[in-house]
Amino acid sequence: MLLNVLDWLTCFWTWLSQPENYRAVGTLTGLVTVLGSVLWWWKSRQKNLPHGFGRGGDGGKATVGGSGTALGGRGGRGGTGGNGGHGGGAEVGGDGSAIGGDGGDAGVPWRPALGGPSAAERLGTTHWAFQHLPKDEVGLIQAGRGGAGGDVEAQVETRHGQMSLYHLIRLVHLWSQGIISEIDRMQPVNSQEYWRLLREAHPEIALRAEDHVAECLRAKANGNPPVDPYQKR
């Protein structure tokens, strides 16, 4: 076996040494170099792709140069669709306040991907501007909110009938941010199972969200503004 290998190497070296084969050797070397480069690029790219869940986005930087207040935006959740968005930075050079926007979620197949909430939500209900900002149908601030993605029309069965999962999980996110990621890690098969798992794990928050949406729908039917969800935090 060893002699056969040595004989083959001797023949190959003799072939390489022939002047008439120099061009073929150069072509072969170039081809090997190109293939090696492509393989290296592909392997390095695979290392950077998210496997399973992507990572959460980084929070935004906040700097204060004077006596003001700066709050950096929070990073979005990672998902099966990639990494979460980075939060926006905030900088104050003197007096005043600055708040960076939160990063949006990466997509997952069992629930809508939430865009970053309005940075104005972090001002607090006692801020003079809070009551004057436009609200949506469940009472959440609209100004400065990032757009949602995925199946934002998904409906789930609740004790009040069919409800928008998008509205429900945005309320859950407002009242307890870690719950959404907790249920995501269970990787439900669809929207209904997502809400079922959330109700089983955190019944108090889930039922509060269902009741709140039902109250807002009744208020809208009677021509009244939505119930304030920020007072329930």
Side-chain angles (χ1 to χ4, degrees):
M1 179 69 178
L2 180 59
L3 290 176
N4 290 337
V5 172
L6 291 175
D7 289 340
W8 183 87
L9 290 175
T10 300
C11 291
F12 182 68
W13 181 255
T14 302
W15 180 83
L16 289 178
S17 302
Q18 300 301 316
E20 61 268 25
N21 295 327
Y22 286 170
R23 185 171 181 178
V25 171
T27 301
L28 180 62
T29 303
L31 182 61
V32 170
T33 302
V34 170
L35 290 176
S37 299
V38 170
L39 180 62
W40 174 85
W41 172 83
W42 183 81
K43 294 293 289 183
S44 64
R45 184 173 181 270
Q46 292 301 305
K47 292 179 181 179
N48 294 326
L49 289 175
H51 296 280
F53 274 79
R55 61 183 294 275
D58 296 329
K61 295 181 179 179
T63 59
V64 178
S67 59
T69 301
L71 299 173
R74 296 163 292 205
R77 297 171 194 78
T80 56
N83 300 332
H86 298 317
E91 182 177 354
V92 175
D95 297 336
S97 300
I99 303 174
D102 289 4
D105 294 357
V108 290
W110 46 81
R111 66 165 176 84
L114 299 184
S118 171
E121 291 183 6
R122 301 174 70 183
L123 292 174
T125 57
T126 59
H127 193 277
W128 66 269
F130 191 86
Q131 299 302 326
H132 302 287
L133 293 169
K135 313 294 194 305
D136 66 9
E137 55 268 45
V138 292
L140 294 172
I141 295 173
Q142 288 182 310
R145 182 191 308 151
D151 187 7
V152 294
E153 303 297 330
Q155 298 282 313
V156 293
E157 190 65 39
T158 72
R159 57 178 178 164
H160 298 291
Q162 292 280 316
M163 286 185 172
S164 165
L165 179 61
Y166 174 59
H167 287 157
L168 292 170
I169 60 175
R170 284 186 53 230
L171 291 167
V172 170
H173 174 260
L174 174 68
W175 296 330
S176 183
Q177 294 194 6
I179 291 178
I180 293 179
S181 297
E182 175 188 333
I183 307 303
D184 280 345
R185 286 191 289 270
M186 299 180 186
Q187 301 193 29
V189 296
N190 54 39
S191 298
Q192 186 63 57
E193 185 181 1
Y194 180 89
W195 189 245
R196 179 184 64 80
L197 291 172
L198 195 150
R199 284 188 59 170
E200 291 176 356
H202 301 278
E204 181 182 352
I205 293 261
L207 297 180
R208 188 195 309 175
E210 292 180 3
D211 290 345
H212 180 88
V213 172
E215 287 182 74
C216 290
L217 292 175
R218 286 194 295 268
K220 183 178 181 180
N222 295 325
N224 296 321
V227 182
D228 184 359
Y230 299 98
Q231 298 293 346
K232 298 182 180 182
R233 279 189 285 190

